Amino acid sequence: NMKLYWLVTWAGTLFLNPVTADCNITSQTVTCEESGKNLSNIPTNLFQNMTKLSLKDNKITLKDHDKGILGSFINLTELYLNENNITVLYNHSFYNLKKLITLDISNNCISTVHKAAFAGLHQLSVLNLSYNMIAQLDSDAFTSLERLTVLNLEYNFLKYFHIKSSFKLIKIVLAGNPWICSCDLLDLQMWLTASHVTLENGSNTTCTFPNMEKISIKMAVIQPADCKIEKTPLENTVTSIPAVNARSIALITALTPNNTTGNNGTCAELPLLGKSWTFLAGVLVFVLSTTLLIFTAIKCPAWYHYLISYHHRRLEGNDSEMFEQEFSADTSSSPSEEPVVIFEKIHACGDEEDVFIEDKYIDTYVNEEC
């Protein structure tokens, strides 16, 4: 009777809400497989009563539109969003999934996790955030996850993780992060020892700084007496990639070649550029402009020859008087007949009232042709 009831229920749902998704219906579960379909948003043509949804290997960003669609799948127990283009987990991203037990958001481009990103997931037991770009993480983001038993944070950019003693887990995965074994890591080290939690792949969960020695974070020597108990509270949101220095990023890149590219290379490259690029750009502009000027001077020499050879200027009143004196002095030193002839020839070609000042550089043969 129960099987018949479930079949009638699913048949009625299918009739009222026809779907084109690839869903598998059994007596107790509805599994929809939407992986590798190049989807940019979560489809709306899915069973509202489905219990398992796989959206692996798509281009979903989990913005407000997707959050609203997810909120309608109130019976979900498993959700797989790995290998997508999610960069930020906003507050209340999964607010209505009260029955969700498994959440996989690995292999994305997540760099920011808001404090209330997992609010409402009271039944969540397994959370996978591995292979992302998380540099800092507030442990308060997990306080509402009362039944969380497995947390996977491997291959992110975590250097330290402030964790509370009330945080209860059975297994945690922290390998592949650039851990700095200093006072900032003391509370995590003490929690790992006191809680008896299983640190999976502990031999590879090592200190990257300060001595570059392959020492497990559980075995690293950190003196509590040398550390201050004070802790600076983190912001509501987590700072992302710019908080990580270039050395840490280089180490993580060496450990995980595919980590910085996320979903098959779809994540943007890390912003490693500093202020030196502006100096380089200035040098390139200077070199190009200088080369262009030299090239122009070689190929087009006429313009600068004209500028260099040009020394003429207009004659002023004083200059004209000096010219007349010089002219009269020159003519007085010549034979008496020649100045008269030249003077007559000059005035014969011009008007009676000549408003121009004669230039002594003008050859006399020009006037003769007049």
Side-chain angles (χ1 to χ4, degrees):
N1 291 334
M2 287 299 297
K3 291 183 179 180
L4 180 62
Y5 170 78
W6 279 105
L7 290 174
V8 171
T9 301
W10 299 133
T13 304
L14 179 61
F15 177 77
L16 295 175
N17 185 24
V19 295
T20 58
D22 184 11
C23 297
N24 181 25
I25 303 174
T26 63
S27 59
Q28 296 182 351
T29 62
V30 178
T31 303
C32 292
E33 182 65 43
E34 294 293 296
S35 301
K37 294 186 178 182
N38 205 30
L39 299 174
S40 298
N41 299 104
I42 297 176
T44 57
N45 56 344
L46 299 173
F47 286 114
Q48 298 296 312
N49 292 327
M50 65 180 168
T51 57
K52 180 180 178 180
L53 174 60
S54 178
L55 294 166
K56 175 183 177 181
D57 192 17
N58 284 294
K59 296 181 179 180
I60 296 170
T61 57
L62 204 61
K63 298 295 178 62
D64 290 339
H65 176 71
D66 295 324
K67 288 163 59 177
I69 296 174
L70 274 181
S72 63
F73 306 139
I74 57 175
N75 290 323
L76 269 182
T77 58
E78 297 181 38
L79 176 60
Y80 298 91
L81 286 167
N82 45 318
E83 298 183 30
N84 277 278
N85 291 343
I86 304 172
T87 58
V88 179
L89 289 179
Y90 296 97
N91 287 330
H92 307 284
S93 294
F94 314 97
Y95 65 96
N96 210 28
L97 305 181
K98 299 178 180 179
K99 297 182 180 180
L100 195 65
I101 297 174
T102 301
L103 176 59
D104 189 348
I105 329 175
S106 61
N107 284 280
N108 276 273
C109 310
I110 300 171
S111 60
T112 303
V113 180
H114 285 240
K115 189 174 181 179
F118 306 111
L121 300 180
H122 301 295
Q123 302 296 323
L124 191 66
S125 177
V126 178
L127 176 59
N128 190 351
L129 287 168
S130 63
Y131 290 93
N132 278 289
M133 300 179 179
I134 304 171
Q136 293 181 349
L137 191 58
D138 191 346
S139 61
D140 288 338
F142 308 113
T143 53
S144 62
L145 306 180
E146 301 172 354
R147 299 196 176 185
L148 188 65
T149 58
V150 178
L151 177 61
N152 192 339
L153 294 173
E154 66 178 338
Y155 291 105
N156 278 276
F157 295 151
L158 292 170
K159 296 182 291 185
Y160 55 86
F161 184 31
H162 293 296
I163 198 165
K164 296 182 178 180
S165 58
S166 59
F167 194 49
K168 301 184 183 300
L169 287 175
I170 296 175
K171 182 173 69 174
I172 190 170
V173 189
L174 300 173
N177 286 279
W179 299 110
I180 298 179
C181 292
S182 62
C183 292
D184 288 328
L185 203 66
L186 180 60
D187 56 352
L188 175 61
Q189 188 183 69
M190 295 176 65
W191 176 81
L192 289 172
T193 304
S195 63
H196 303 290
V197 64
T198 300
L199 179 61
E200 187 172 286
N201 201 8
S203 59
N204 291 329
T205 309
T206 58
C207 301
T208 304
F209 296 107
N211 298 323
M212 301 295 292
E213 297 178 358
K214 296 298 181 180
I215 302 175
S216 172
I217 61 173
K218 290 185 67 174
M219 304 301 295
V221 178
I222 303 175
Q223 298 296 338
D226 298 333
C227 301
K228 294 182 180 180
I229 305 299
E230 299 178 357
K231 296 179 183 178
T232 303
L234 297 176
E235 300 289 337
N236 288 339
T237 59
V238 182
T239 56
S240 57
I241 298 306
V244 187
N245 56 36
R247 190 175 180 186
S248 300
I249 294 175
L251 286 167
I252 288 297
T253 305
L255 290 172
T256 57
N258 298 324
N259 189 31
T260 55
T261 55
N263 177 20
N264 297 326
T266 57
C267 291
E269 292 294 332
L270 300 179
L272 299 179
L273 293 177
K275 295 183 180 179
S276 60
W277 71 270
T278 55
F279 174 76
L280 179 61
V283 172
L284 290 176
V285 171
F286 175 76
V287 171
L288 290 176
S289 59
T290 305
T291 304
L292 180 61
L293 288 175
I294 295 173
F295 178 80
T296 305
I298 293 174
K299 294 297 183 181
C300 306
W303 66 274
Y304 68 84
H305 281 305
Y306 174 77
L307 293 176
I308 294 174
S309 62
Y310 186 78
H311 295 291
H312 300 289
R313 61 182 179 86
R314 295 180 62 86
L315 292 174
E316 299 179 356
N318 296 333
D319 296 335
S320 62
E321 294 177 0
M322 293 174 62
F323 170 74
E324 290 176 357
Q325 294 176 1
E326 292 176 3
F327 181 80
S328 60
D330 292 339
T331 54
S332 62
S333 61
S334 302
S336 58
E337 295 180 359
E338 292 181 0
V340 175
V341 174
I342 294 173
F343 181 78
E344 289 177 353
K345 289 181 179 181
I346 292 174
H347 286 273
C349 295
D351 296 334
E352 294 180 359
E353 296 181 0
D354 191 0
V355 296
F356 296 99
I357 300 173
E358 296 180 353
D359 193 340
K360 64 180 180 178
Y361 295 104
I362 300 176
D363 297 333
T364 56
Y365 73 87
V366 177
N367 294 321
E368 293 174 357
E369 293 177 356
C370 296

